[in-house]
Amino acid sequence: MGLYKKYNGKLKYKGTIRNFLLAAVLLTIALVTLFPIYYMVISSFGAPTEAGGASYSLIPKQFTLNSYKFFFSFSAHSFRWILNSLLVASVVTISNVIFATLAGYAFAKLRFPGCKVFFFVLLVAMMVPYQVTQVPLYILVVNVLKIQDTYMALVAPTLVTCYNVFLAKQFFTSLPTSIMESAKIEGCSQPMIVWKIVVPLSKTILSVMAIMTFLGEWNTFFWPFLVCNSEAMQTVQVGLKNFSFANTTYFAPMMAGATVSALPMFILFFSLQKYFLEGVTVGAVKG
């Protein structure tokens, strides 16, 4: 049975009903997905004393930028929180793209002693839950290396991830080996093969890797919260918790900060959405 069955004649009304139901389901999912974003943005433009109240409506009584002014004047480090997030996410993204590409190429196209063993260890490491590694990682960074509250502590654990190596390896495996062998016969070295042949053919998967890594690192809260003791080294996700106190929460300024922190993700996604949409369909069609 085809995925999209066509109805003719008297059964045409079934196609209309089917399309209506599909549209209703998709519209409902879209509304549920977009509602938190709408609530975040619309709350940030409301009065600081209005948002979070019991009588708060989905449309503010007045639109104002006071919440944004409050966010940037709340702490002397408000701007630095955003810069910290941008720096950490950018360094981790660039590092992952470079090292995961090299490691994935080695696993996919090179044969060296212990290749299968190392790849098996990598697969096992992917199965370990993220929370399990936090305690030994914290002891290593804080008690052994003593680099807490530094940029190195923020970026070191995620400079290259097992998932990105696995993603790159799986994509490079699908590339024809004959292309690399032809380049090698022509006198091309391995670094030149990677730079001149592999990377240009892998822009799609590398873009997907960059987007997913940047989004994941930008939204990380737990690890920066563990290793940052001062406000100056906090990322914007951790800095937003400073707006919550024991007896009250500056809700609207917090939403203003969340809106500002979401802008880089929106810009990155929409600027690279072409490669992202191509990347999620890689391997879906053969032939």
Side-chain angles (χ1 to χ4, degrees):
M1 180 181 291
L3 183 61
Y4 296 103
K5 184 178 179 180
K6 293 183 178 179
Y7 296 95
N8 298 315
K10 296 180 180 179
L11 297 177
K12 194 174 181 179
Y13 72 93
K14 289 187 177 181
T16 304
I17 295 175
R18 180 201 60 185
N19 293 337
F20 176 78
L21 293 176
L22 284 175
V25 171
L26 292 176
L27 182 61
T28 303
I29 294 174
L31 290 176
V32 172
T33 304
L34 294 176
F35 178 75
I37 299 175
Y38 167 79
Y39 188 71
M40 175 186 71
V41 174
I42 209 68
S43 299
S44 67
F45 288 105
T49 55
E50 180 183 354
S55 59
Y56 179 69
S57 65
L58 295 179
I59 300 176
K61 296 178 182 177
Q62 60 174 347
F63 285 85
T64 175
L65 296 177
N66 289 338
S67 296
Y68 289 88
K69 295 178 182 176
F70 189 99
F71 170 76
F72 286 109
S73 61
F74 176 76
S75 171
H77 306 290
S78 295
F79 281 103
R80 182 163 177 174
W81 294 340
I82 300 174
L83 293 178
N84 288 344
S85 289
L86 192 61
L87 177 64
V88 171
S90 299
V91 170
V92 170
T93 300
I94 295 172
S95 173
N96 268 273
V97 170
I98 294 175
F99 291 114
T101 299
L102 297 177
Y105 176 77
F107 280 123
K109 297 300 181 185
L110 302 182
R111 291 296 173 264
F112 53 90
C115 174
K116 294 184 179 179
V117 175
F118 285 130
F119 188 67
F120 177 76
V121 173
L122 183 139
L123 292 179
V124 172
M126 287 179 59
M127 307 302 169
V128 178
Y130 174 76
Q131 292 77 7
V132 174
T133 61
Q134 295 305 291
V135 173
L137 196 58
Y138 178 81
I139 294 174
L140 176 64
V141 169
V142 176
N143 296 344
V144 180
L145 300 178
K146 300 185 184 304
I147 56 173
Q148 69 273 21
D149 214 28
T150 63
Y151 287 114
M152 182 58 69
L154 290 172
V155 304
T158 50
L159 282 176
V160 60
T161 62
C162 297
Y163 175 76
N164 283 333
V165 175
F166 176 77
L167 185 67
K169 188 263 180 187
Q170 293 302 101
F171 181 81
F172 294 151
T173 301
S174 65
L175 295 179
T177 307
S178 57
I179 299 178
M180 290 75 173
E181 292 177 347
S182 300
K184 191 182 297 183
I185 293 173
E186 294 294 331
C188 198
S189 62
Q190 286 293 350
M192 291 303 293
I193 291 175
V194 174
W195 180 247
K196 295 288 186 181
I197 298 176
V198 175
V199 171
L201 292 175
S202 310
K203 288 182 179 178
T204 300
I205 198 66
L206 296 183
S207 299
V208 172
M209 187 189 301
I211 293 173
M212 301 303 293
T213 304
F214 188 90
L215 296 184
E217 194 63 26
W218 183 274
N219 289 322
T220 299
F221 172 82
F222 189 61
W223 178 250
F225 178 69
L226 281 179
V227 296
C228 291
N229 300 325
S230 64
E231 281 195 16
M233 289 304 301
Q234 290 177 347
T235 59
V236 66
Q237 307 299 340
V238 180
L240 290 176
K241 74 173 179 54
N242 297 324
F243 291 83
S244 180
F245 303 91
N247 55 355
T248 187
T249 298
Y250 295 143
F251 189 77
M254 183 185 289
M255 291 296 104
T259 302
V260 172
S261 69
L263 288 179
M265 292 189 297
F266 290 145
I267 295 173
L268 179 68
F269 177 78
F270 286 111
S271 60
L272 297 177
Q273 64 172 334
K274 173 186 175 183
Y275 295 107
F276 182 78
L277 295 176
E278 290 178 357
V280 296
T281 60
V282 169
V285 180
K286 293 182 178 180

